[in-house]
Amino acid sequence: MAEPQQKHSSYFTVENTASHGSVKKWMSEKKDCDKGSCSALEVPDFKNALKQFQKLVEKTVTQKTKKRLGLYIKDDDEIDYDKFYTTTQALFGPEVKDHNIKAFFRKISHNLDARTEWCEIFGYFIGESDTMSSQLKEENMVFLVSEKQQITHTVVRRQDVIKGIVKVPHLDFTVTSSQKGVLTIFNNQMRVLATTSVEDTAWITGCDFLPQLKCVVAVTERTVIVWDYKSKGSQNNCFIIKPMENGLLCVCTVTMSDHLAKDNILIGDDKGYVHLVSVTGDHFGLKQCKGKKESQLQVLDSKTFRIVKRKLHDDWVVKVKYISDLNCFGSCSSDSNHSFVLDDIKRLEDNLPVKEFSVPRGVNAFTYCGKAKVVVTGGHDKLLRLWHPAINSRPTGKLSGHQHSVVEIVTNEKDQHVISLSSAKIFRVWDIQTLSLLQVFHDNQGSPGETETFAMVFDNDHGTLITGSAVIDIYPLTHMIQDTRQVPQTHEKSINVLVYNRAFHQILTICSESILKVWDLETGYQIYQIEDAHGLNTEVTCAAIGINGFYLATGACDGTLKIWEFESGQEVKALPLAQHSKDECRLLKIVYLKANESQHALLVLGQNGKMKIIQGNSVQTNLYVTWVLPEAVSFPRKNPVVSLSLKPDTLQTRDFFPDIQLLSDTSSLRNDTENFIPSAEMKCFDVLKAEGCSLIATGSANGVIILWDFESASVRCLCKINEDNQASVLQASGVNAMLFLAHSTFSSRKIHSLPSNTTTVRSDISAIPEHKSSSLNLHKENVQSDEISAEITTETNAQLSNAVAGDSPILASAHENGCICLWSIQGNLLKELLPFSKYPSVPLTALCTDTSTKMLLAGSKDGHIMRWSIVSFLEDPQNSENQIKEELFWRAHSNEVVDLFHEEKKNVVVTASIDGSVRLWHATNGYYLGYFGQPRKFELSDISRLILPCDVNNFPTIIKEERKHMEKKKKFEYPLTLDRDKWESLTRSPSVLKKPKHVDIIQDLKFFKALASPKIHRQPLESFESGNREAGAVFGYLPIYKVSFFPPASTIILQA
């Protein structure tokens, strides 16, 4: 529970008990100090310092509150962090550590109602143990559906179902009865100890165990069966007690009998009667006849037994149980007036009034929780009602959630949980203490004949739930949090931003409510949070972290931009709203180009399609715009490339990208028949800046991809080239994400090739960070000293293709049509990937790679994650032998994946979705490890158990190379041909004339003997299954044959 909101002043009194202890501890640490050099305060001065510190905190909180409400007016008396730090140091001396002051200031800044104490300034924080204990209480014992065991023993007949399951605790075995007369006893390992088939009847309705006689009792339509399971060999000691007056529906054993050879049995029938039958060992021992066969059923007359019955219900008695803790029996019926009866067993004989509970539409099942001392009932009205055993006028509580009739209820006594089962085979786990729903799971793995569950029991000794239908299912109980009912939730609203700080191994998440949270990757614990980072009701839409991890930049829907100190969460600089032009709007993406104390530089994309560089320095208070990327004009369809003009005055500067302008003569080429104009509605971009490489790629909603190359001073539109050498933009395939991919040798070669005198320049341009859209570090920009001007280039497609080097970067784009396009920086479409899925293609929304660029990961709109191996492809994209292998495919969320990243050292993948959760997965097999915001700590090394979130039902699919959708080559021999010479030699023989009846057969045999391999030496045929989207969904999987060379035509003509 959250701490009650109280004023800060109530926690700073020295007279407080906790404060006394802290004062003593603080003073004891000062006793060893030298009096001349020790700066510790005396007690009176310390009390005075506490009072002044109290006033400082109150004033800070008041200013923060007014500022959040928009009522504060800045003045010289404003308390920022520097002033707060200076004042605190003056009050308490250098004994107060900097990081403790910073943590305290961050706490009161971001949570104005937080409970604080003065001792936190000295590092003595409060409430850690209470927080941990409350977190542990939030975890629950839940059933692992993924580890369900299924017993399909032959004791269950074909087209038969389990009608009764009973656990015998003192013998640690389980008794089951099937509808067609099979009784079975299983040991604690669920192995069959004994079994029998009762042929006397076709319908068994229930069973139980007689503890005194050590026999199994079962009831049928008109008989009672007692089975001595200790019979040896083929002996089948089954006793049939009949006739019974009514149709028997349920049975249970009364456990209060103190007679060693006597048991009492409670039976419910279809007329509303409850029967009490007393059986002893004499009934079965005296009636046995030695002359009968060992396997023959022995019929006993029911009149020889003492049977007491009483009508308690006006409808069928569905369940009857004896509750030993209450020394009472209970029976339930679908009768609305006499729905549930709970009373002493003597009421069946003395006919005194019984305690009745009335429930609309009756009761189908009930159970008793001994620790909570409540009876839980459920029926056709879909509600669970909690009753005090002594109060039948009204229930003490109700639990709602089932959408179908409740058919069975059992109790987990240890954890005080109740498990209810509906007719739709949906299980719900409830906490009796909190009246809350803990877990919901639906067993839909059975065949259509197994959809209904007839029996259920909870094994308190082994912590398992056992259910019976056409098979026996066993669900283990485990102390976990993933399988709870609640969907994993990191934020209450949808996630807008997911960014990873590789330097600190921390994660930043921002939701649509503009709540910023920072998490530790290894543990999953939250470090701090900031609310309303850009003001009240201003949505934060994007963020980026500098490569050194010290600074964070955030952008909002109103176009504002702020820079924060990542470790402390303090605001450093901002781009005020007043400096924006009229067309400023929502910021879509930010990339950090430079981040240090003296200079900040960011590349920003707005929803209006404009890209600009925003910078700040130590002199300027606010951020300012220094560079704007011009809008692209029309491109020629035959070769969509336009040259740029780099301004001479910027070539000698150390700016990140030079000032550019499009050549003026390109404006005269705006002809709809020859040119096309790309859309300015940009949705995403990526940057690649290294020595000898300076690129910006942008993607639009209509599928247009524009690549700005500042080294070659050109801008090109990436598109398909059709047969007429005309550019064809991918239609209806908007770009949702972009990512530059480069082989590891590319970046290492660039680094080693830099001269030694460029070290200072590289440190000055500490450019693009390693975030989800950049896999390279930035190095020195190689700008030219002279103005570069060029006319529109006219290279052919073949020249472009030959220019691609093995180490050249590749641009990946994720599209609305569900495919990933891989482009060369020369503008060629190298490959088009379609993720493996049995479902229709869905839009891809996110891309990422690892630090060594060995794999490519993508997230989709329906919550799936795909992983490809690209390391061999990047070595030589032009080599058809180097293929991209899809290795893993799994469902991570039930909704759209907003972003994801891969952490190579931990071997994990983190995904964020609009469902409000940020989840952690094992990168190799897709196993679920947890979500950020869960009470327990992450166990990154524990991947032995396959667990799924409650909103995910599909297990990860590990795609093997021999699957049909993967490219696979096979070698085939050429087909046999008819050898005419061999055929003539076979047909010259006159032997065929001797047996005219078999001429046709012999001719056929001779024909096949005359078949031979071609005499020309050829390479074997190669066949591969492409699985690409160019060939289509059907023809893409047909074998395609390739012939290495074509021999002269004369050599392949068969001689006549």
Side-chain angles (χ1 to χ4, degrees):
M1 295 179 61
E3 293 290 339
Q5 297 183 4
Q6 302 184 32
K7 295 182 179 180
H8 287 273
S9 58
S10 60
Y11 299 103
F12 286 93
T13 55
V14 181
E15 287 77 8
N16 184 283
T17 305
S19 299
H20 268 304
S22 300
V23 171
K24 291 178 181 179
K25 184 175 182 180
W26 187 79
M27 294 300 296
S28 64
E29 294 174 353
K30 309 300 177 186
K31 289 183 179 179
D32 298 332
C33 296
D34 183 77
K35 292 184 179 181
S37 60
C38 186
S39 60
L41 302 173
E42 299 295 333
V43 174
D45 294 334
F46 185 75
K47 289 184 177 182
N48 184 43
L50 284 180
K51 291 180 180 180
Q52 303 226 6
F53 183 70
Q54 170 190 341
K55 293 180 180 179
L56 176 65
V57 173
E58 289 178 349
K59 187 175 181 180
T60 305
V61 171
T62 302
Q63 288 184 2
K64 296 289 183 182
T65 304
K66 291 182 178 180
K67 189 175 182 180
R68 181 171 296 183
L69 297 175
L71 304 176
Y72 180 71
I73 302 175
K74 290 186 177 181
D75 54 13
D76 296 336
D77 202 21
E78 181 182 3
I79 301 177
D80 55 5
Y81 173 72
D82 294 333
K83 190 171 184 179
F84 185 87
Y85 172 82
T86 305
T87 307
T88 306
Q89 285 281 358
L91 289 174
F92 298 107
E95 299 300 327
V96 180
K97 304 301 181 183
D98 295 353
H99 63 276
N100 291 330
I101 300 177
K102 184 180 296 183
F104 189 91
F105 185 79
R106 183 172 61 211
K107 182 176 182 179
I108 63 176
S109 298
H110 302 151
N111 189 359
L112 301 179
D113 298 320
R115 180 174 181 264
T116 57
E117 286 195 11
W118 63 267
C119 58
E120 297 182 32
I121 288 294
F122 299 96
Y124 305 120
F125 293 92
I126 60 173
E128 294 294 334
S129 60
D130 296 339
T131 304
M132 183 59 64
S133 62
S134 64
Q135 289 178 349
L136 294 177
K137 291 179 182 178
E138 293 180 10
E139 297 188 3
N140 296 290
M141 301 296 290
V142 295
F143 296 102
L144 286 180
V145 184
S146 58
E147 294 192 359
K148 179 188 72 173
Q149 299 177 6
Q150 196 169 82
I151 308 298
T152 56
H153 200 274
T154 55
V155 296
V156 180
R157 295 179 177 179
R158 186 178 181 183
Q159 296 181 349
D160 198 0
V161 294
I162 300 294
K163 293 291 291 186
I165 301 178
V166 177
K167 183 67 183 180
V168 184
H170 64 283
L171 296 177
D172 198 13
F173 59 60
T174 305
V175 180
T176 65
S177 63
S178 73
Q179 192 177 57
K180 293 187 177 180
V182 179
L183 301 176
T184 310
I185 294 180
F186 296 90
N187 63 6
N188 55 4
Q189 303 295 326
M190 292 306 291
R191 297 179 179 177
V192 177
L193 290 178
T195 182
T196 186
S197 178
V198 182
E199 303 294 342
D200 182 63
T201 180
W203 301 104
I204 286 183
T205 55
C207 67
D208 205 342
F209 186 78
L210 303 176
Q212 300 298 334
L213 299 181
K214 293 182 174 56
C215 295
V216 176
V217 59
V219 293
T220 67
E221 297 171 347
R222 288 290 189 272
T223 62
V224 178
I225 302 173
V226 178
W227 171 44
D228 182 9
Y229 71 94
K230 301 182 297 298
S231 304
K232 296 182 180 180
S234 61
Q235 188 176 2
N236 189 5
N237 287 343
C238 281
F239 304 90
I240 307 297
I241 302 174
K242 65 179 184 179
M244 303 298 289
E245 293 184 11
N246 304 321
L248 308 182
L249 301 177
C250 52
V251 63
C252 79
T253 302
V254 180
T255 56
M256 71 174 186
S257 176
D258 54 356
H259 198 285
L260 295 179
K262 178 182 178 181
D263 278 302
N264 293 322
I265 304 171
L266 289 173
I267 303 174
D269 64 22
D270 57 358
K271 300 297 183 182
Y273 285 90
V274 176
H275 304 252
L276 177 63
V277 182
S278 298
V279 295
T280 64
D282 295 337
H283 287 105
F284 309 109
L286 296 176
K287 298 296 180 180
Q288 296 184 26
C289 297
K290 297 181 180 180
K292 295 184 179 181
K293 295 181 180 180
E294 292 181 344
S295 61
Q296 185 176 354
L297 297 176
Q298 304 182 39
V299 180
L300 305 180
D301 189 356
S302 61
K303 295 181 181 180
T304 61
F305 293 85
R306 181 176 180 271
I307 300 177
V308 178
K309 67 177 182 177
R310 180 176 177 180
K311 186 176 179 61
L312 298 176
H313 306 277
D314 294 333
D315 206 338
W316 292 7
V317 179
V318 183
K319 293 282 193 307
V320 60
K321 294 180 182 180
Y322 184 79
I323 304 173
S324 57
D325 293 345
L326 302 177
N327 291 325
C328 294
F329 79 95
S331 63
C332 64
S333 171
S334 299
D335 181 11
S336 298
N337 296 323
H338 314 286
S339 307
F340 177 58
V341 173
L342 182 66
D343 215 321
D344 195 284
I345 199 171
K346 297 178 182 179
R347 299 292 84 80
L348 296 176
E349 301 184 47
D350 55 24
N351 289 325
L352 293 177
V354 294
K355 188 182 301 178
E356 297 178 340
F357 300 76
S358 298
V359 176
R361 304 181 64 186
V363 173
N364 291 337
F366 66 93
T367 188
Y368 177 73
C369 184
K371 288 185 177 181
K373 294 182 173 58
V374 294
V375 177
V376 184
T377 63
H380 292 295
D381 63 350
K382 309 169 189 176
L383 295 177
L384 296 184
R385 289 176 170 83
L386 281 66
W387 307 84
H388 190 279
I391 303 173
N392 61 346
S393 58
R394 57 181 298 178
T396 59
K398 294 181 181 180
L399 301 173
S400 62
H402 278 292
Q403 302 298 320
H404 301 83
S405 300
V406 180
V407 296
E408 188 61 273
I409 308 174
V410 294
T411 305
N412 175 1
E413 282 287 350
K414 181 179 179 181
D415 301 303
Q416 300 185 53
H417 294 170
V418 168
I419 304 101
S420 58
L421 170 66
S422 71
S423 58
K425 208 174 182 181
I426 295 177
F427 300 82
R428 290 180 179 263
V429 183
W430 313 83
D431 190 340
I432 296 299
Q433 296 296 317
T434 61
L435 300 183
S436 61
L437 181 62
L438 302 178
Q439 183 185 8
V440 178
F441 60 96
H442 180 203
D443 189 358
N444 54 1
Q445 299 180 2
S447 61
E450 304 171 7
T451 55
E452 186 177 358
T453 300
F454 295 93
M456 181 171 67
V457 67
F458 183 79
D459 185 355
N460 284 282
D461 295 332
H462 300 90
T464 56
L465 181 68
I466 306 174
T467 64
S469 55
V471 294
I472 300 174
D473 294 325
I474 304 174
Y475 301 91
L477 192 64
T478 308
H479 197 268
M480 298 294 289
I481 196 169
Q482 289 96 330
D483 282 356
T484 55
R485 176 191 66 88
Q486 295 82 2
V487 176
Q489 189 177 66
T490 307
H491 291 262
E492 294 184 0
K493 299 296 181 180
S494 62
I495 305 293
N496 283 354
V497 178
L498 171 67
V499 186
Y500 180 45
N501 189 332
R502 293 188 182 273
F504 293 172
H505 300 288
Q506 295 175 0
I507 294 173
L508 169 71
T509 61
I510 306 175
C511 69
S512 58
E513 280 189 332
S514 299
I515 298 178
L516 184 151
K517 295 183 179 181
V518 176
W519 311 83
D520 181 70
L521 175 64
E522 188 170 358
T523 62
Y525 293 153
Q526 181 178 335
I527 300 175
Y528 68 86
Q529 76 176 39
I530 302 175
E531 298 179 3
D532 299 324
H534 283 249
L536 193 64
N537 298 327
T538 303
E539 181 181 1
V540 180
T541 56
C542 53
I545 298 176
I547 191 171
N548 53 15
F550 295 146
Y551 293 98
L552 159 71
T554 58
C557 61
D558 59 355
T560 56
L561 186 70
K562 290 187 178 182
I563 295 178
W564 312 76
E565 185 181 296
F566 186 86
E567 188 176 7
S568 64
Q570 302 305 308
E571 182 179 328
V572 178
K573 290 182 181 296
L575 180 66
L577 188 62
Q579 294 189 10
H580 297 173
S581 59
K582 295 181 180 179
D583 59 348
E584 289 296 340
C585 61
R586 182 188 188 95
L587 299 183
L588 297 181
K589 186 176 179 180
I590 303 174
V591 170
Y592 234 122
L593 299 178
K594 187 172 185 179
N596 55 43
E597 295 181 358
S598 60
Q599 186 179 8
H600 295 271
L602 303 108
L603 185 61
V604 179
L605 171 64
Q607 195 172 18
N608 56 3
K610 291 186 177 180
M611 293 186 63
K612 57 188 67 177
I613 292 180
I614 299 176
Q615 297 192 44
N617 52 43
S618 57
V619 179
Q620 298 283 345
T621 305
N622 297 322
L623 300 172
Y624 50 92
V625 178
T626 60
W627 183 85
V628 178
L629 184 70
E631 296 182 5
V633 293
S634 60
F635 291 92
R637 290 188 179 274
K638 291 186 177 180
N639 188 34
V641 181
V642 176
S643 295
L644 304 175
S645 175
L646 308 186
K647 293 185 178 180
D649 55 343
T650 62
L651 296 179
Q652 301 297 331
T653 64
R654 291 181 179 179
D655 289 336
F656 306 96
F657 298 102
D659 291 338
I660 60 176
Q661 64 181 9
L662 297 171
L663 292 180
S664 58
D665 56 355
T666 61
S667 60
S668 61
L669 297 176
R670 294 188 179 181
N671 190 321
D672 292 340
T673 60
E674 298 180 1
N675 305 335
F676 62 87
I677 302 175
S679 171
E681 186 184 353
M682 288 189 288
K683 295 179 62 178
C684 55
F685 75 93
D686 195 23
V687 183
L688 177 63
K689 191 165 176 60
E691 189 266 333
C693 187
S694 182
L695 302 169
I696 295 179
T698 63
S700 302
N702 64 345
V704 174
I705 301 174
I706 299 177
L707 181 64
W708 299 80
D709 189 346
F710 299 97
E711 291 294 329
S712 62
S714 63
V715 55
R716 70 177 64 248
C717 181
L718 306 186
C719 51
K720 285 185 176 180
I721 304 298
N722 56 26
E723 297 178 355
D724 300 330
N725 290 332
Q726 296 291 322
S728 174
V729 179
L730 298 174
Q731 298 297 326
S733 55
V735 185
N736 294 327
M738 307 194 71
L739 178 65
F740 278 109
L741 303 172
H743 194 266
S744 57
T745 57
F746 171 78
S747 56
S748 61
R749 178 172 56 84
K750 297 295 180 182
I751 293 174
H752 294 310
S753 65
L754 289 175
S756 58
N757 58 0
T758 62
T759 305
T760 57
V761 178
R762 286 163 49 206
S763 62
D764 181 57
I765 306 180
S766 58
I768 301 174
E770 232 177 343
H771 62 101
K772 71 107 184 177
S773 295
S774 297
S775 58
L776 299 175
N777 297 332
L778 296 182
H779 305 293
K780 176 179 175 292
E781 180 189 1
N782 183 22
V783 295
Q784 304 296 327
S785 57
D786 299 325
E787 179 180 358
I788 302 175
S789 294
E791 299 297 330
I792 299 175
T793 57
T794 58
E795 298 95 342
T796 63
N797 293 327
Q799 290 173 335
L800 290 173
S801 185
N802 295 332
V804 179
D807 294 337
S808 180
I810 301 297
L811 177 64
S813 59
H815 294 262
E816 278 286 328
N817 61 359
C819 72
I820 295 177
C821 295
L822 300 179
W823 310 83
S824 68
I825 60 175
Q826 286 77 23
N828 287 342
L829 179 61
L830 300 177
K831 200 171 190 62
E832 199 170 355
L833 302 176
L834 186 65
F836 165 71
S837 175
K838 61 181 179 181
Y839 306 104
S841 299
V842 295
L844 300 180
T845 56
L847 290 175
C848 80
T849 185
D850 56 333
T851 55
S852 55
T853 326
K854 294 180 179 179
M855 64 178 67
L856 176 65
L857 292 103
S860 69
K861 195 170 184 178
D862 63 352
H864 283 96
I865 304 296
M866 292 73 69
R867 191 192 74 199
W868 291 270
S869 174
I870 59 174
V871 59
S872 61
F873 176 79
L874 292 180
E875 291 176 355
D876 187 5
Q878 299 299 315
N879 188 354
S880 59
E881 298 291 334
N882 297 336
Q883 300 297 333
I884 296 178
K885 309 293 184 182
E886 187 173 359
E887 300 176 331
L888 191 61
F889 177 88
W890 78 93
R891 185 73 176 267
H893 299 267
S894 59
N895 283 311
E896 177 183 341
V897 176
V898 175
D899 215 337
L900 75 162
F901 69 85
H902 176 266
E903 217 298 323
E904 199 167 18
K905 293 182 180 179
K906 305 292 182 183
N907 196 26
V908 295
V909 175
V910 179
T911 62
S913 170
I914 62 175
D915 61 13
S917 67
V918 179
R919 307 181 185 185
L920 190 68
W921 310 85
H922 194 270
T924 304
N925 50 28
Y927 281 18
Y928 180 57
L929 300 175
Y931 68 95
F932 290 89
Q934 68 181 27
R936 67 179 183 87
K937 182 181 177 181
F938 286 152
E939 295 293 340
L940 302 183
S941 59
D942 184 14
I943 57 171
S944 59
R945 186 175 312 176
L946 179 56
I947 305 169
L948 296 176
C950 67
D951 58 345
V952 175
N953 297 322
N954 302 325
F955 295 111
T957 302
I958 298 177
I959 303 172
K960 297 182 180 180
E961 188 173 353
E962 57 267 22
R963 294 286 181 91
K964 65 179 182 179
H965 59 275
M966 302 298 294
E967 296 184 357
K968 182 175 64 173
K969 293 189 176 181
K970 295 181 181 179
K971 292 185 177 181
F972 297 91
E973 295 293 334
Y974 273 76
L976 300 177
T977 60
L978 180 63
D979 190 336
R980 292 288 181 179
D981 296 336
K982 199 171 184 181
W983 167 256
E984 291 177 359
S985 63
L986 292 173
T987 54
R988 290 194 191 104
S989 176
S991 61
V992 297
L993 302 176
K994 298 179 181 180
K995 299 179 180 179
K997 296 182 180 179
H998 304 285
V999 171
D1000 294 338
I1001 300 175
I1002 294 176
Q1003 289 286 359
D1004 292 340
L1005 293 175
K1006 290 181 179 295
F1007 173 79
F1008 287 109
K1009 287 183 179 181
L1011 296 178
S1013 299
K1015 298 179 180 180
I1016 294 115
H1017 298 287
R1018 299 182 181 180
Q1019 297 292 331
L1021 287 173
E1022 284 189 352
S1023 168
F1024 70 93
E1025 297 172 348
S1026 62
N1028 58 16
R1029 49 181 293 105
E1030 293 182 358
V1034 175
F1035 297 101
Y1037 297 107
L1038 296 179
I1040 302 172
Y1041 296 94
K1042 285 185 177 180
V1043 180
S1044 301
F1045 68 95
F1046 294 93
S1050 59
T1051 62
I1052 61 174
I1053 297 177
L1054 298 176
Q1055 296 179 358

